[in-house]
Amino acid sequence: MTAHKDIANALNLYFTSIASSLLANSNEVESEFVPDAVPSNIESFKFTLRNVNEVSKAIKDLNQTKATGSDGISATVLKMAEPSVSQSLTHLFNELLQAGQFPSAWKKARVTPLFKGGTATDCDNYQPISVLPSTSKILESFANLDLQNFAYKSGLIEQHQFAYSKFSSTTVALLKVVDSWKMAIDKGLKSVSVFLDLRKAFDVIRHDVLLTKLQSHGVKESELRWFNSYLSERSQCVVFKDAISALLHLSFGVPQGSVLRSTLFNIHINNISKACHTSNVSLSSSKDIDLAEHKVNEDLRSVRHWFRKKWPYL
């Protein structure tokens, strides 16, 4: 297979079928997803309508070095046209949020395959880098800000979430773990830590499961319709050298290259901490190393059960 078009099509088929292949090969899937318990006194989530000054600032803050999406409108062009388009885009964004719609043209991603090394003919040795329209990212940034504020306030994202979280990072998580180790050492305790790696975790999220979780925590009516529209009917093409593949649909996952991707993932995996009963999310300590090991293994079995019930395709 040497034709660039054939290579582009093969890579796109591989990238878009990863989730379905993983699900088909899973041998531990429960028959039905078990939703979270519905919180009491739920506050409804609402989008904030934006004004022209906010939209104008968002356009000016666009990174001009980013690649251009499938709509062909670069960040540079948007910034140059800002005085002329800000008012119209403000009206468009507010109409879309109120109507619960996300434009189909903004759901098409251009994917560049990045070779990671190894055998060049193995599709698994390529990392897909997705580029979405700049205009869509402006609307996403507003929706993401609203969703993040609501998620932290309502408990959709809890304090144990560090990566992709507001005012936090994986560095903070590392500092917390190291500090816990030091405290355990000072008390003469032995510590056991476990690190889990979820393969293709962002790519195998089922949209119906994510939407059910959002709905149970207060995202309803036009806001829920907007997220449904945002996630559904997405497609992508692969650009390889001088060739562009055919468009293929994406049925699973949160969109790569999108602003909302990390927030939606954090919401999806949020309550994994509730599966740990005898240790912290990242650490268990005891004077008896065998007891510490036993506690961690108990929680690992609980986490495994949680994944089968709450996230059955990992």
Side-chain angles (χ1 to χ4, degrees):
M1 181 173 57
T2 57
H4 293 166
K5 182 79 170 182
D6 292 340
I7 295 173
N9 282 323
L11 286 168
N12 200 27
L13 179 61
Y14 175 76
F15 292 150
T16 55
S17 60
I18 287 175
S20 56
S21 297
L22 287 174
L23 296 182
N25 292 332
S26 174
N27 58 4
E28 293 190 352
V29 175
E30 295 282 348
S31 59
E32 186 176 351
F33 165 72
V34 180
D36 300 329
V38 179
S40 59
N41 303 320
I42 306 172
E43 178 184 346
S44 294
F45 169 75
K46 294 294 180 184
F47 283 125
T48 301
L49 298 184
R50 302 296 169 172
N51 60 53
V52 68
N53 292 330
E54 292 174 302
V55 174
S56 176
K57 183 179 184 305
I59 295 174
K60 291 176 182 177
D61 289 343
L62 287 172
N63 188 342
Q64 292 180 237
T65 65
K66 296 293 185 181
T68 302
S70 59
D71 62 351
I73 303 174
S74 67
T76 301
V77 170
L78 266 180
K79 289 167 79 80
M80 290 175 59
E82 178 271 321
S84 303
V85 302
S86 292
Q87 186 69 51
S88 298
L89 284 178
T90 302
H91 177 74
L92 174 62
F93 291 161
N94 288 335
E95 285 291 315
L96 291 169
L97 293 173
Q98 288 180 307
Q101 294 294 322
F102 193 85
S104 298
W106 293 350
K107 301 180 189 180
K108 298 175 182 177
R110 287 172 62 93
V111 177
T112 300
L114 180 65
F115 184 55
K116 299 182 292 184
T119 305
T121 55
D122 186 351
C123 292
D124 196 43
N125 290 330
Y126 290 84
Q127 172 69 35
I129 306 299
S130 297
V131 178
L132 294 166
S134 296
T135 314
S136 71
K137 290 188 176 182
I138 299 173
L139 176 57
E140 273 196 73
S141 67
F142 294 135
N144 189 54
L145 181 61
D146 288 341
L147 183 60
Q148 279 190 339
N149 290 335
F150 177 79
Y152 294 126
K153 184 178 178 181
S154 65
L156 261 174
I157 298 178
E158 297 178 352
Q159 291 183 351
H160 64 265
Q161 292 274 22
F162 294 95
Y164 321 114
S165 292
K166 213 173 182 181
F167 311 120
S168 190
S169 67
T170 51
T171 302
V172 176
L174 181 59
L175 290 171
K176 182 178 178 180
V177 170
V178 171
D179 189 54
S180 298
W181 288 337
K182 290 179 179 179
M183 290 178 64
I185 292 171
D186 290 342
K187 294 176 182 178
L189 302 177
K190 309 257 188 332
S191 297
V192 177
S193 296
V194 175
F195 302 89
L196 303 178
D197 183 18
L198 307 181
R199 185 186 179 197
K200 305 295 182 183
F202 286 79
D203 300 323
V204 297
I205 291 175
R206 263 175 42 197
H207 298 160
D208 60 328
V209 173
L210 178 57
L211 291 168
T212 297
K213 186 163 191 175
L214 289 172
Q215 184 178 27
S216 69
H217 285 75
V219 181
K220 301 176 180 178
E221 300 176 345
S222 60
E223 282 74 16
L224 185 64
R225 292 197 302 272
W226 188 90
F227 282 107
N228 183 38
S229 176
Y230 170 81
L231 291 167
S232 63
E233 298 179 354
R234 285 190 168 267
S235 60
Q236 68 176 44
C237 65
V238 166
V239 180
F240 183 81
K241 297 188 183 294
D242 57 351
I244 301 177
S245 74
L247 278 172
L248 292 179
H249 290 286
L250 294 161
S251 302
F252 300 93
V254 285
Q256 189 191 65
S258 66
V259 179
L260 278 160
R261 176 178 171 88
S262 299
T263 302
L264 291 174
F265 174 80
N266 276 355
I267 288 173
H268 197 66
I269 200 173
N270 178 66
N271 63 353
I272 188 175
S273 63
K274 293 181 172 62
C276 295
H277 305 296
T278 62
S279 60
N280 295 328
V281 176
S282 54
L283 179 73
S284 179
S285 298
S286 173
K287 288 186 176 181
D288 183 346
I289 188 64
D290 292 330
L291 179 57
E293 180 184 344
H294 175 72
K295 287 181 178 180
V296 167
N297 283 329
E298 275 189 351
D299 278 339
L300 281 174
R301 284 189 286 270
S302 181
V303 167
R304 180 171 176 265
H305 180 72
W306 182 90
F307 275 120
R308 294 182 66 182
K309 289 287 186 182
K310 304 290 186 182
W311 209 347
Y313 29 90
L314 281 178

